[in-house]
């Protein structure tokens, strides 16, 4: 059962929904672009939260600054990285040390931006918007566990994402006939998330990233 919580950093107060599974692993889930209506109630964010929680992983989905009851204003992805790190810190305060960063669309871009700033489990990135935003893939090698996208996603072109996944040495799952929003393909997405989460390997048991 999710409960409403507030946490923050500096003068920013963020709204979130937290569910504790009782297990050792937690996931922090980031939502799509705030200026395009993205928030923690997004259907794909809900699928991520529900599927990971059902797999025994504690979850925290939250609203970036300026969204819902979170204070502040949109910061073009930079301040949102700090919001995400504050969400990770909240999970750590709950005693969770093994944290999976997960994001959808804009949230996947923000998630990618913190992976070299904090030691976390390899990330779960859904509909990585490589056609919209710049990424520093050089620092992401070994820090991404799974990329999921549809084969009809204009913001995550299949040919491009295949090359990126090979460069990152990460798992790539492509859902046939799916676009950026996974209309009518939600069950397929949930199945892939469940498969990935069942194979998570805690950092303490994983080879150290050079």
């Amino acid at each position: 059962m999710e409960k409403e919580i507030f946490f923050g950093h500096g003068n920013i107060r963020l709204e979130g929904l937290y569910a504790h599974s009782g297990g050792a692993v937690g996931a922090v889930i980031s939502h799509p672009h705030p200026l395009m209506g993205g928030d923690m109630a997004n259907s794909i964010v809900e699928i991520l939260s529900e599927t990971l929680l059902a797999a025994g992983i504690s979850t925290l989905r939250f609203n970036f600054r300026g969204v819902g009851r979170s204070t502040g204003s949109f910061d073009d992805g930079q301040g949102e990285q700090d919001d995400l790190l504050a969400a990770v810190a909240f999970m750590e305060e709950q005693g969770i040390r093994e944290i999976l960063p997960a994001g959808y669309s804009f949230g996947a871009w923000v998630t990618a931006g913190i992976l070299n700033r904090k030691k976390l489990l390899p990330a779960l990135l859904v509909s990585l918007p490589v056609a919209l935003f710049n990424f520093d893939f050089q620092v992401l090698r070994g820090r991404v566990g799974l990329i999921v996208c549809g084969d009809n996603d204009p913001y995550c072109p299949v040919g491009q994402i295949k090359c990126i996944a090979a460069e990152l040495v990460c798992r790539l799952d492509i859902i046939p006939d799916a676009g950026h929003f996974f209309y009518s393909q939600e069950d397929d997405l949930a199945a892939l998330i469940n498969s990935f989460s069942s194979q998570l390997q805690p950092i303490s048991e994983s080879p150290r990233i050079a």
Side-chain angles (χ1 to χ4, degrees):
M1 176 72 73
E2 291 178 307
K3 64 177 182 179
E4 185 179 60
I5 56 98
F6 288 90
F7 61 96
H9 58 100
N11 62 350
I12 299 293
R13 185 170 182 258
L14 301 169
E15 173 190 21
L17 290 171
Y18 172 67
H20 184 62
S21 69
V25 179
V28 176
I29 304 163
S30 298
H31 66 71
H33 206 298
L35 300 186
M36 302 296 177
D39 61 19
M40 66 179 178
N42 171 270
S43 61
I44 303 304
V45 171
E46 289 185 339
I47 288 171
L48 281 161
S49 181
E50 292 170 0
T51 306
L52 292 170
L53 185 60
I57 297 171
S58 297
T59 60
L60 171 59
R61 51 176 164 141
F62 68 99
N63 280 330
F64 286 126
R65 58 184 63 204
V67 179
R69 288 192 284 169
S70 293
T71 63
S73 58
F74 179 67
D75 194 31
D76 203 26
Q78 298 309 304
E80 285 78 8
Q81 288 187 21
D82 293 333
D83 297 346
L84 177 49
L85 289 170
V88 170
F90 173 86
M91 294 292 265
E92 292 175 335
E93 290 165 5
Q94 311 314 304
I96 297 171
R97 292 292 179 266
E98 306 284 3
I99 298 174
L100 168 70
Y104 167 51
S105 193
F106 172 86
W109 177 58
V110 174
T111 298
I114 71 153
L115 297 183
N116 67 334
R117 299 175 61 184
K118 183 76 177 177
K119 189 175 182 181
L120 301 164
L121 294 173
L124 166 54
L125 305 176
V126 179
S127 297
L128 194 64
V130 294
L132 295 179
F133 300 105
N134 293 322
F135 291 82
D136 186 354
F137 293 112
Q138 192 169 20
V139 303
L140 295 181
R141 184 182 173 92
R143 293 186 169 97
V144 178
L146 170 64
I147 297 173
V148 182
C149 68
D151 65 357
N152 289 324
D153 187 343
Y155 309 119
C156 185
V158 170
Q160 187 176 356
I161 202 64
K162 284 181 177 179
C163 293
I164 290 167
E167 180 181 349
L168 299 183
V169 194
C170 74
R171 174 176 162 181
L172 171 64
D173 287 335
I174 299 172
I175 299 177
D177 303 318
H180 192 70
F181 304 104
F182 298 98
Y183 294 136
S184 78
Q185 306 280 17
E186 293 88 351
D187 290 345
D188 295 328
L189 176 61
L192 292 175
I193 295 167
N194 181 64
S195 170
F196 171 73
S197 61
S198 68
Q199 299 172 19
L200 279 179
Q201 187 178 28
I203 293 173
S204 57
E205 299 174 9
S206 303
R208 187 176 297 275
I209 298 172

